[in-house]
Amino acid sequence: LSGCDSGFGQATARHLDIMGFRVFASVLDLQSPGAQELRQSCSTRLTLLQMDLTKTEDIQRVLEHIQAHTNSTGLWGLVNNAGFNDTIADAELSPLGKFRTCMEVNFFGSLELTKGLLPLLRSAGGRIVTVSSPAGDMPFPCLAAYGASKAALSLVMDTFRSELQPWGIKVSLILPGYYKTGTTCDPAFWNLQKQQLLASLPQELLQAYGEDYVEEINQQFIQFMKVAVEDLSAVVNSITEGLLAANPAVRYYPGQGLGIMYFIHRYLPYFVRDLFLKGFFINPKLPRALRREHHNDVKK
Protein backbone atom coordinates (compact mmCIF):
# COMPACT_ATOMS: atom_id res chain seq x y z
CA LEU A 1 0.00 0.00 0.00
CA SER A 2 1.81 3.14 -1.18
CA GLY A 3 1.43 6.73 0.06
CA CYS A 4 0.45 6.09 3.70
CA ASP A 5 1.82 9.33 5.20
CA SER A 6 -1.70 10.82 5.13
CA GLY A 7 -5.11 10.73 3.47
CA PHE A 8 -6.52 7.65 1.76
CA GLY A 9 -3.35 5.57 2.25
CA GLN A 10 -3.12 6.15 5.98
CA ALA A 11 -6.86 5.53 6.52
CA THR A 12 -6.81 2.36 4.39
CA ALA A 13 -3.71 0.96 6.13
CA ARG A 14 -5.43 1.41 9.50
CA HIS A 15 -8.68 -0.14 8.22
CA LEU A 16 -6.97 -3.22 6.71
CA ASP A 17 -4.91 -3.71 9.86
CA ILE A 18 -8.10 -3.67 12.01
CA MET A 19 -9.56 -6.31 9.64
CA GLY A 20 -6.60 -8.55 10.49
CA PHE A 21 -4.51 -8.28 7.32
CA ARG A 22 -0.74 -8.19 7.13
CA VAL A 23 -0.12 -4.72 5.70
CA PHE A 24 3.05 -3.36 4.12
CA ALA A 25 2.55 0.42 4.20
CA SER A 26 5.00 2.72 2.42
CA VAL A 27 5.60 6.30 3.57
CA LEU A 28 7.84 9.08 2.27
CA ASP A 29 9.15 9.76 5.77
CA LEU A 30 9.26 7.20 8.59
CA GLN A 31 9.22 10.06 11.12
CA SER A 32 6.23 11.91 9.62
CA PRO A 33 3.20 12.50 11.90
CA GLY A 34 1.20 10.07 9.74
CA ALA A 35 3.81 7.33 10.07
CA GLN A 36 4.01 7.88 13.85
CA GLU A 37 0.23 7.68 14.10
CA LEU A 38 0.15 4.35 12.23
CA ARG A 39 2.86 2.99 14.54
CA GLN A 40 0.79 3.89 17.59
CA SER A 41 -2.68 2.89 16.35
CA CYS A 42 -1.93 -0.33 14.42
CA SER A 43 -0.94 -3.86 15.40
CA THR A 44 2.53 -5.34 14.97
CA ARG A 45 1.29 -6.99 11.74
CA LEU A 46 1.67 -3.62 9.99
CA THR A 47 5.12 -2.97 8.52
CA LEU A 48 6.12 0.62 7.68
CA LEU A 49 8.53 0.97 4.76
CA GLN A 50 10.22 4.14 3.53
CA MET A 51 9.77 4.72 -0.21
CA ASP A 52 10.08 7.65 -2.59
CA LEU A 53 8.46 6.56 -5.86
CA THR A 54 10.86 8.74 -7.87
CA LYS A 55 13.83 6.67 -6.62
CA THR A 56 14.41 3.25 -8.17
CA GLU A 57 16.66 2.23 -5.26
CA ASP A 58 13.79 2.89 -2.79
CA ILE A 59 11.37 0.84 -4.89
CA GLN A 60 13.89 -2.01 -5.21
CA ARG A 61 14.48 -2.05 -1.44
CA VAL A 62 10.71 -2.29 -0.79
CA LEU A 63 10.34 -5.04 -3.42
CA GLU A 64 13.13 -7.07 -1.80
CA HIS A 65 11.58 -6.69 1.65
CA ILE A 66 8.10 -7.76 0.47
CA GLN A 67 9.53 -10.66 -1.57
CA ALA A 68 11.47 -11.94 1.44
CA HIS A 69 8.32 -11.91 3.60
CA THR A 70 5.77 -13.25 1.10
CA ASN A 71 7.73 -15.67 -1.09
CA SER A 72 5.96 -18.76 0.26
CA THR A 73 2.45 -17.26 0.23
CA GLY A 74 2.51 -14.78 -2.66
CA LEU A 75 0.97 -11.33 -2.30
CA TRP A 76 -2.79 -10.92 -2.26
CA GLY A 77 -3.13 -7.22 -3.02
CA LEU A 78 -1.31 -4.12 -4.18
CA VAL A 79 -2.85 -0.69 -3.59
CA ASN A 80 -1.25 2.06 -5.69
CA ASN A 81 -2.34 5.11 -3.75
CA ALA A 82 0.64 7.50 -3.67
CA GLY A 83 -0.05 10.62 -5.74
CA PHE A 84 1.46 14.04 -6.21
CA ASN A 85 0.40 17.47 -7.41
CA ASP A 86 1.73 20.90 -6.49
CA THR A 87 0.63 23.01 -9.48
CA ILE A 88 -2.66 24.80 -10.09
CA ALA A 89 -2.18 26.73 -13.34
CA ASP A 90 -2.91 26.69 -17.06
CA ALA A 91 -0.86 24.15 -19.02
CA GLU A 92 1.03 27.03 -20.67
CA LEU A 93 1.94 28.49 -17.27
CA SER A 94 2.94 25.12 -15.72
CA PRO A 95 6.71 24.50 -15.98
CA LEU A 96 7.66 21.37 -17.92
CA GLY A 97 9.41 20.07 -14.80
CA LYS A 98 6.05 19.95 -13.01
CA PHE A 99 4.63 17.70 -15.74
CA ARG A 100 7.69 15.46 -15.38
CA THR A 101 7.43 15.22 -11.57
CA CYS A 102 3.74 14.28 -11.77
CA MET A 103 4.58 11.59 -14.34
CA GLU A 104 7.47 10.29 -12.23
CA VAL A 105 5.37 9.82 -9.10
CA ASN A 106 1.86 9.17 -10.38
CA PHE A 107 2.73 7.09 -13.44
CA PHE A 108 6.29 5.72 -13.60
CA GLY A 109 6.64 5.09 -9.85
CA SER A 110 3.35 3.18 -9.66
CA LEU A 111 4.18 1.30 -12.88
CA GLU A 112 7.61 0.22 -11.58
CA LEU A 113 6.15 -0.93 -8.26
CA THR A 114 3.34 -2.85 -10.00
CA LYS A 115 5.69 -4.59 -12.43
CA GLY A 116 8.05 -5.49 -9.59
CA LEU A 117 5.27 -7.10 -7.51
CA LEU A 118 3.51 -8.92 -10.39
CA PRO A 119 5.30 -12.28 -9.93
CA LEU A 120 4.04 -12.40 -6.30
CA LEU A 121 0.56 -11.23 -7.31
CA ARG A 122 0.40 -13.82 -10.10
CA SER A 123 1.31 -16.67 -7.76
CA ALA A 124 -1.54 -15.65 -5.42
CA GLY A 125 -4.04 -14.76 -8.18
CA GLY A 126 -4.32 -11.46 -6.33
CA ARG A 127 -5.63 -7.95 -6.83
CA ILE A 128 -4.34 -4.57 -7.99
CA VAL A 129 -6.28 -1.50 -6.83
CA THR A 130 -5.11 1.89 -8.08
CA VAL A 131 -6.25 5.33 -6.98
CA SER A 132 -6.49 7.52 -10.09
CA SER A 133 -8.60 10.66 -10.59
CA PRO A 134 -11.52 12.02 -12.64
CA ALA A 135 -8.93 14.64 -13.71
CA GLY A 136 -7.40 11.83 -15.80
CA ASP A 137 -10.69 11.45 -17.71
CA MET A 138 -11.68 15.09 -18.18
CA PRO A 139 -9.78 18.34 -18.83
CA PHE A 140 -10.19 20.07 -15.49
CA PRO A 141 -9.06 23.73 -15.77
CA CYS A 142 -5.56 24.30 -14.33
CA LEU A 143 -4.85 20.60 -13.62
CA ALA A 144 -3.11 19.55 -16.85
CA ALA A 145 0.13 18.26 -15.27
CA TYR A 146 -1.69 16.15 -12.67
CA GLY A 147 -4.48 15.09 -15.05
CA ALA A 148 -2.11 13.93 -17.80
CA SER A 149 -0.23 11.68 -15.35
CA LYS A 150 -3.48 10.21 -14.02
CA ALA A 151 -4.76 9.63 -17.58
CA ALA A 152 -1.59 7.61 -18.30
CA LEU A 153 -1.99 5.72 -15.01
CA SER A 154 -5.65 4.85 -15.69
CA LEU A 155 -4.84 3.63 -19.18
CA VAL A 156 -1.94 1.39 -18.16
CA MET A 157 -4.04 -0.12 -15.34
CA ASP A 158 -6.88 -0.82 -17.79
CA THR A 159 -4.33 -2.56 -20.01
CA PHE A 160 -3.07 -4.64 -17.07
CA ARG A 161 -6.69 -5.56 -16.27
CA SER A 162 -7.19 -7.09 -19.68
CA GLU A 163 -3.73 -8.68 -19.95
CA LEU A 164 -3.69 -10.21 -16.45
CA GLN A 165 -7.14 -11.80 -16.71
CA PRO A 166 -5.74 -15.23 -17.68
CA TRP A 167 -3.65 -15.20 -14.46
CA GLY A 168 -6.75 -14.65 -12.32
CA ILE A 169 -5.61 -11.18 -11.25
CA LYS A 170 -8.39 -8.60 -10.93
CA VAL A 171 -7.56 -4.91 -11.44
CA SER A 172 -9.72 -2.00 -10.22
CA LEU A 173 -9.46 1.77 -10.50
CA ILE A 174 -10.69 4.18 -7.82
CA LEU A 175 -11.70 7.65 -9.07
CA PRO A 176 -12.50 9.68 -5.94
CA GLY A 177 -14.32 13.01 -5.71
CA TYR A 178 -12.98 15.89 -3.60
CA TYR A 179 -11.56 14.89 -0.23
CA LYS A 180 -9.37 16.57 2.35
CA THR A 181 -6.04 14.74 2.12
CA GLY A 182 -2.47 15.78 2.92
CA THR A 183 -1.60 19.30 1.79
CA THR A 184 -4.57 19.60 -0.61
CA CYS A 185 -6.48 21.85 1.80
CA ASP A 186 -3.64 23.91 3.23
CA PRO A 187 -3.89 27.51 1.89
CA ALA A 188 -0.33 28.29 3.06
CA PHE A 189 1.04 25.45 0.89
CA TRP A 190 -0.82 26.66 -2.23
CA ASN A 191 0.13 30.30 -1.63
CA LEU A 192 3.78 29.27 -1.51
CA GLN A 193 3.39 27.28 -4.75
CA LYS A 194 1.76 30.32 -6.38
CA GLN A 195 4.64 32.62 -5.32
CA GLN A 196 7.20 30.15 -6.69
CA LEU A 197 5.28 29.86 -9.96
CA LEU A 198 5.08 33.65 -10.39
CA ALA A 199 8.80 33.97 -9.68
CA SER A 200 9.64 31.33 -12.30
CA LEU A 201 7.43 32.58 -15.16
CA PRO A 202 9.09 34.17 -18.20
CA GLN A 203 8.35 37.91 -18.41
CA GLU A 204 6.43 37.55 -21.66
CA LEU A 205 4.01 35.00 -20.15
CA LEU A 206 3.54 37.08 -17.01
CA GLN A 207 2.71 40.08 -19.22
CA ALA A 208 0.24 38.11 -21.36
CA TYR A 209 -1.69 36.48 -18.51
CA GLY A 210 -1.12 38.96 -15.66
CA GLU A 211 -0.19 38.30 -12.02
CA ASP A 212 -3.83 38.87 -10.99
CA TYR A 213 -4.85 35.99 -13.29
CA VAL A 214 -2.65 33.54 -11.35
CA GLU A 215 -3.82 35.03 -8.02
CA GLU A 216 -7.46 34.53 -9.02
CA ILE A 217 -6.93 30.86 -9.97
CA ASN A 218 -5.23 30.22 -6.65
CA GLN A 219 -8.04 31.91 -4.67
CA GLN A 220 -10.73 29.94 -6.50
CA PHE A 221 -8.91 26.65 -5.86
CA ILE A 222 -8.52 27.40 -2.14
CA GLN A 223 -12.24 28.25 -1.98
CA PHE A 224 -13.10 25.03 -3.81
CA MET A 225 -11.05 22.88 -1.41
CA LYS A 226 -12.97 24.30 1.56
CA VAL A 227 -15.94 22.15 0.53
CA ALA A 228 -13.81 18.99 0.21
CA VAL A 229 -15.15 16.02 2.20
CA GLU A 230 -13.33 15.14 5.43
CA ASP A 231 -14.79 11.65 5.89
CA LEU A 232 -12.59 9.33 3.80
CA SER A 233 -14.60 6.17 4.52
CA ALA A 234 -16.27 5.97 1.06
CA VAL A 235 -12.82 5.77 -0.57
CA VAL A 236 -11.46 3.32 2.02
CA ASN A 237 -14.53 1.10 1.47
CA SER A 238 -14.06 1.19 -2.31
CA ILE A 239 -10.39 0.19 -2.00
CA THR A 240 -11.33 -2.60 0.44
CA GLU A 241 -14.04 -3.89 -1.90
CA GLY A 242 -11.57 -3.85 -4.80
CA LEU A 243 -9.27 -6.07 -2.71
CA LEU A 244 -11.87 -8.44 -1.26
CA ALA A 245 -15.06 -8.64 -3.37
CA ALA A 246 -15.52 -11.88 -5.36
CA ASN A 247 -16.15 -9.75 -8.45
CA PRO A 248 -14.77 -6.26 -7.85
CA ALA A 249 -15.90 -3.40 -10.09
CA VAL A 250 -13.55 -2.23 -12.83
CA ARG A 251 -14.05 1.37 -11.64
CA TYR A 252 -15.26 2.84 -8.35
CA TYR A 253 -16.47 6.45 -8.07
CA PRO A 254 -16.58 7.37 -4.36
CA GLY A 255 -17.70 10.97 -3.81
CA GLN A 256 -20.52 13.33 -4.59
CA GLY A 257 -21.27 14.92 -7.94
CA LEU A 258 -19.30 12.42 -10.04
CA GLY A 259 -22.41 10.81 -11.55
CA ILE A 260 -23.63 14.05 -13.14
CA MET A 261 -20.09 14.96 -14.17
CA TYR A 262 -19.53 11.67 -16.03
CA PHE A 263 -23.01 11.84 -17.57
CA ILE A 264 -22.21 15.29 -19.02
CA HIS A 265 -18.76 14.08 -20.13
CA ARG A 266 -20.17 11.04 -21.98
CA TYR A 267 -23.43 12.26 -23.46
CA LEU A 268 -23.38 16.04 -23.92
CA PRO A 269 -21.31 18.25 -26.30
CA TYR A 270 -17.76 19.18 -25.27
CA PHE A 271 -18.59 22.86 -24.75
CA VAL A 272 -21.24 21.87 -22.15
CA ARG A 273 -18.71 19.74 -20.29
CA ASP A 274 -16.09 22.51 -20.37
CA LEU A 275 -18.63 25.05 -19.06
CA PHE A 276 -19.65 22.63 -16.31
CA LEU A 277 -16.04 22.00 -15.22
CA LYS A 278 -15.37 25.75 -15.07
CA GLY A 279 -18.54 26.40 -13.09
CA PHE A 280 -17.86 23.49 -10.76
CA PHE A 281 -14.09 23.82 -10.27
CA ILE A 282 -12.12 26.85 -11.47
CA ASN A 283 -13.30 29.54 -13.90
CA PRO A 284 -10.27 31.69 -14.75
CA LYS A 285 -10.78 35.36 -15.61
CA LEU A 286 -9.72 36.63 -19.03
CA PRO A 287 -5.91 36.79 -19.44
CA ARG A 288 -4.56 40.34 -19.21
CA ALA A 289 -3.62 40.65 -22.90
CA LEU A 290 -7.21 39.83 -23.95
CA ARG A 291 -8.95 42.35 -21.68
CA ARG A 292 -10.53 45.45 -23.20
CA GLU A 293 -8.79 47.89 -20.81
CA HIS A 294 -5.42 46.42 -21.83
CA HIS A 295 -6.22 47.02 -25.54
CA ASN A 296 -7.26 50.59 -24.71
CA ASP A 297 -3.97 51.17 -22.85
CA VAL A 298 -2.00 49.83 -25.82
CA LYS A 299 -3.90 52.14 -28.25
CA LYS A 300 -3.13 55.18 -26.08
Side-chain angles (χ1 to χ4, degrees), residues 33 42 60 76 111 121 132 200 218 275 280:
C42 293
Q60 288 308 315
W76 175 251
L111 176 61
L121 289 161
S132 188
S200 73
N218 196 62
L275 277 175
F280 172 75

XYZ file of all heavy atoms in Angstrom, residues 33 42 60 76 111 121 132 200 218 275 280:
91
model
N 4.299 12.691 10.937
C 3.204 12.498 11.901
C 2.293 11.333 11.507
O 1.854 10.564 12.368
C 2.431 13.826 11.837
C 3.425 14.832 11.345
C 4.363 14.080 10.450
N -1.797 0.966 15.098
C -1.934 -0.333 14.421
C -1.219 -1.454 15.169
O -0.382 -1.206 16.027
C -1.399 -0.240 12.996
S -2.405 0.822 11.948
N 13.225 -0.696 -5.243
C 13.890 -2.013 -5.210
C 14.019 -2.533 -3.785
O 13.823 -3.726 -3.515
C 15.287 -1.925 -5.861
C 15.261 -1.763 -7.376
C 14.398 -2.804 -8.076
O 14.450 -3.997 -7.783
N 13.543 -2.363 -9.001
N -1.391 -10.964 -1.851
C -2.793 -10.919 -2.257
C -3.149 -9.605 -2.963
O -3.850 -9.607 -3.958
C -3.727 -11.112 -1.059
C -5.160 -10.943 -1.498
C -6.008 -9.924 -1.222
C -5.878 -11.811 -2.387
N -7.216 -10.083 -1.868
C -7.167 -11.248 -2.592
C -5.565 -13.011 -3.042
C -8.132 -11.832 -3.406
C -6.528 -13.597 -3.852
C -7.797 -13.011 -4.024
N 3.947 2.340 -11.870
C 4.178 1.299 -12.878
C 5.341 0.393 -12.461
O 5.251 -0.844 -12.543
C 4.470 1.953 -14.236
C 4.821 1.013 -15.393
C 3.684 0.041 -15.684
C 5.171 1.814 -16.648
N 2.011 -11.351 -7.123
C 0.563 -11.229 -7.307
C 0.036 -12.361 -8.199
O -1.049 -12.904 -7.968
C 0.218 -9.868 -7.937
C 0.396 -8.653 -7.018
C 0.497 -7.370 -7.836
C -0.761 -8.545 -6.029
N -6.758 6.554 -9.021
C -6.494 7.518 -10.091
C -7.319 8.766 -9.794
O -7.487 9.128 -8.633
C -6.816 6.904 -11.454
O -6.376 7.776 -12.481
N 8.963 32.111 -11.252
C 9.640 31.329 -12.301
C 9.139 31.635 -13.716
O 9.751 31.228 -14.689
C 9.445 29.831 -12.034
O 8.109 29.463 -12.325
N -5.619 30.743 -7.955
C -5.230 30.223 -6.647
C -6.349 30.418 -5.617
O -6.680 29.507 -4.857
C -3.952 30.932 -6.192
C -3.269 30.200 -5.052
O -2.848 29.069 -5.211
N -3.190 30.845 -3.905
N -17.922 24.049 -19.876
C -18.634 25.054 -19.063
C -18.919 24.517 -17.667
O -18.759 25.214 -16.665
C -19.961 25.439 -19.730
C -19.905 26.492 -20.834
C -21.284 26.652 -21.466
C -19.415 27.841 -20.294
N -17.970 24.362 -11.929
C -17.859 23.487 -10.763
C -16.524 23.662 -10.049
O -16.447 23.621 -8.829
C -18.010 22.035 -11.248
C -17.725 21.005 -10.211
C -18.644 20.758 -9.199
C -16.543 20.279 -10.235
C -18.371 19.802 -8.237
C -16.269 19.323 -9.275
C -17.203 19.081 -8.269
